[in-house]
Amino acid sequence: MAHEPLSVVVTAFNSAATLDACLASVRWADELVVLDSGSTDATLAIAAHYGARIESQPFAGYSAQKQAAIDLARHDWVLLLDSDEAMPASAAETIRRLLEQPAHAGYLLWRREWIFWQWQSPRSRLNHYVRLFDRRRARMSGHRVHEEVAVDGSVGVLDLVMDHYGERDIAGRVDKANRYSSLQVADLAGRGARGLRLRMLTNAWAAFFRYYLLRGHYRSGWAGLIAARIHAFYAFLKYAKLYEATRVASTQTRIPESDRNDV
């Protein structure tokens, strides 16, 4: 039986360390699209090796960049991947069979995480994301970080686990926590986040509890503990930075205009 053709779309920037594994895992797709934002490493050569259609535009933000990549697809059904993700060997058969007669507008995929020097414990909870969808019925959410695919229709669950290599060391994960927490300030302010002092006191502990205990990353030993502490630090940082922004804004409104010009 014929199946709906599939476009795999990937956003990339200096992704040579992981892009080969990513594209090799989906080379069976009907189309590969790589939207690059100015790579200076071997990213473009790797994409060309796999016959991907390479497009380029300046980075527009995580959500907007992914939406731009989706819009470049020639087919209606899209598999959206980050350049540090790879699909399992069973993906080709599973997805082709599903696309013979899709029952939903989008599908969730499971994802396991590389934590510094090891994969997360197989007994810890996997994250899941909508990554396979009919682009006519889906759009990126628009969030500055933690962007997601919003589907207009029913969503099914696909029994596939993709690999996410993510940050390869502690420094990289700390840098990401710092970068993402800065980007989240505007999103949190737009939602009217309140009680910032209380959130600074409690949210980090709650984030640690969820990540380390409820999601089961305590099973990953020291790697899980370190990741949980960084995750908790990120939860603290985003509200601390929003609190800082409100204090700075409040201070500026109290300074007379003539005094501001002297600063």
Side-chain angles (χ1 to χ4, degrees):
M1 182 183 295
H3 62 80
E4 293 279 354
L6 177 70
S7 294
V8 174
V9 299
V10 181
T11 55
F13 173 70
N14 286 344
S15 306
T18 57
L19 187 62
D20 186 83
C22 174
L23 295 182
S25 73
V26 289
R27 62 194 314 168
W28 46 267
D30 300 285
E31 179 187 39
L32 299 179
V33 179
V34 173
L35 179 58
D36 184 70
S37 52
S39 294
T40 56
D41 63 0
T43 293
L44 299 184
I46 294 169
H49 171 75
Y50 286 99
R53 175 157 57 92
I54 302 170
E55 303 286 350
S56 181
Q57 74 170 36
F59 185 66
Y62 293 106
S63 186
Q65 195 77 0
K66 289 181 178 179
Q67 185 61 56
I70 294 167
D71 292 340
L72 288 168
R74 293 189 176 127
H75 303 304
D76 293 328
W77 277 88
V78 166
L79 175 63
L80 174 66
L81 294 179
D82 290 338
S83 59
D84 58 0
E85 295 173 338
M87 297 293 289
S90 60
E93 180 181 355
T94 300
I95 291 177
R96 281 175 174 160
R97 187 170 61 249
L98 179 149
L99 291 181
E100 289 175 0
Q101 194 171 359
H104 302 281
Y107 291 86
L108 291 162
L109 277 71
W110 303 100
R111 189 174 81 172
R112 69 169 182 163
E113 308 289 335
W114 179 261
I115 307 179
F116 307 128
W117 54 81
Q118 66 187 58
W119 289 111
Q120 70 178 87
S121 167
R123 293 188 292 166
S124 58
R125 198 182 79 188
L126 298 173
N127 289 325
H128 57 274
Y129 306 93
V130 174
R131 292 303 183 83
L132 179 67
F133 52 89
D134 183 345
R135 70 190 183 106
R136 297 168 297 183
R137 303 173 64 186
R139 299 285 298 179
M140 295 304 301
S141 63
H143 297 129
R144 289 170 175 81
V145 294
H146 305 308
E147 67 287 351
E148 58 187 11
V149 178
V151 178
D152 180 16
S154 62
V155 175
V157 179
L158 199 54
D159 189 21
L160 289 173
V161 179
M162 58 183 172
D163 289 336
H164 179 225
Y165 295 96
E167 296 71 47
R168 304 296 288 182
D169 54 28
I170 294 170
R173 187 164 288 207
V174 171
D175 287 344
K176 182 177 180 179
N178 190 38
R179 186 172 69 253
Y180 273 34
S181 60
S182 293
L183 290 171
Q184 273 219 284
V185 169
D187 283 340
L188 291 170
R191 296 201 298 265
R194 299 183 181 277
L196 299 181
R197 294 175 182 174
L198 180 61
R199 290 176 185 267
M200 284 190 289
L201 289 172
T202 61
N203 275 42
W205 292 106
F208 180 88
F209 177 79
R210 286 193 302 269
Y211 187 92
Y212 192 63
L213 295 178
L214 295 185
R215 291 173 56 185
H217 287 293
Y218 67 89
R219 301 180 186 274
S220 297
W222 285 104
L225 176 64
I226 295 168
R229 292 297 297 243
I230 296 172
H231 182 69
F233 181 54
Y234 164 69
F236 167 78
L237 272 183
K238 61 186 181 182
Y239 289 108
K241 289 180 179 181
L242 179 57
Y243 181 72
E244 177 187 52
T246 61
R247 292 301 301 266
V248 169
S250 175
T251 301
Q252 289 177 342
T253 59
R254 292 198 300 267
I255 299 176
E257 188 66 35
S258 58
D259 290 343
R260 287 187 216 169
N261 295 335
D262 294 337
V263 175

